C-alpha cells in the first residue's frame, strides 16, 4: 500500500484587508522550512520513499477550503497559490 505526507509552510499571519500588499497576502514560512521538516521526518522514520514532489494549489489557507486534503479548490481573480512538498512512501 502507498501513503503520502504533506509538508506545508505554516501560516504565520493570516491575510487581512489592507492597502499594504504584505498585509493583504499574509505571512508564511519559506518553502525551505517545509523541506527541512520533511528531512527531519524522513530521518526519524525508516520508510521506503517512492517519490517526492512539489505541489502548487490555490487558496489552501482559505477558511472555506480543507488545505492540502481538499480535492476541489476554488480559484478567482487574485487567488493565492501555495507550494508544498508531498512525500509518497510505501507502507509495510
Amino acid at each position: 500500500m502507498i501513503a503520502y505526507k504533506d509538508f506545508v509552510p505554516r501560516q504565520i499571519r493570516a491575510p487581512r484587508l489592507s492597502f499594504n500588499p504584505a498585509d493583504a497576502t499574509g505571512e508564511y514560512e519559506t518553502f525551505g522550512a517545509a523541506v527541512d521538516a520533511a528531512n527531519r521526518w524522513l530521518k526519524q522514520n525508516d520508510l521506503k520513499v517512492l517519490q517526492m514532489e512539489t505541489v502548487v494549489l490555490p487558496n489552501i489557507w482559505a477558511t472555506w477550503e480543507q488545505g492540502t486534503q481538499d480535492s476541489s479548490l476554488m480559484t478567482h481573480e487574485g487567488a493565492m497559490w501555495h507550494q508544498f512538498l508531498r512525500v509518497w512512501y510505501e507502507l509495510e
Side-chain angles (χ1 to χ4, degrees):
M1 294 186 66
I2 63 170
Y4 69 90
K5 182 165 176 67
D6 292 336
F7 296 90
V8 183
R10 286 181 277 201
Q11 185 180 59
I12 297 168
R13 186 181 44 74
R16 57 181 181 247
L17 290 177
S18 174
F19 291 111
N20 180 346
D23 288 340
T25 59
E27 186 177 354
Y28 306 88
E29 287 182 329
T30 65
F31 183 73
V35 172
D36 291 343
N39 282 325
R40 285 190 301 276
W41 181 76
L42 288 169
K43 192 173 187 176
Q44 294 170 353
N45 296 280
D46 185 27
L47 302 168
K48 180 179 178 187
V49 174
L50 302 173
Q51 181 172 321
M52 299 173 84
E53 59 188 354
T54 301
V55 181
V56 180
L57 292 174
N59 305 324
I60 62 173
W61 291 105
T63 56
W64 62 87
E65 301 294 0
Q66 298 169 341
T68 64
Q69 302 297 314
D70 201 335
S71 62
S72 175
L73 296 161
M74 290 180 48
T75 60
H76 53 79
E77 187 176 328
M80 290 290 299
W81 292 84
H82 303 272
Q83 67 177 347
F84 61 94
L85 179 65
R86 177 167 285 167
V87 177
W88 289 93
Y89 60 96
E90 191 172 294
L91 292 174
E92 294 183 12

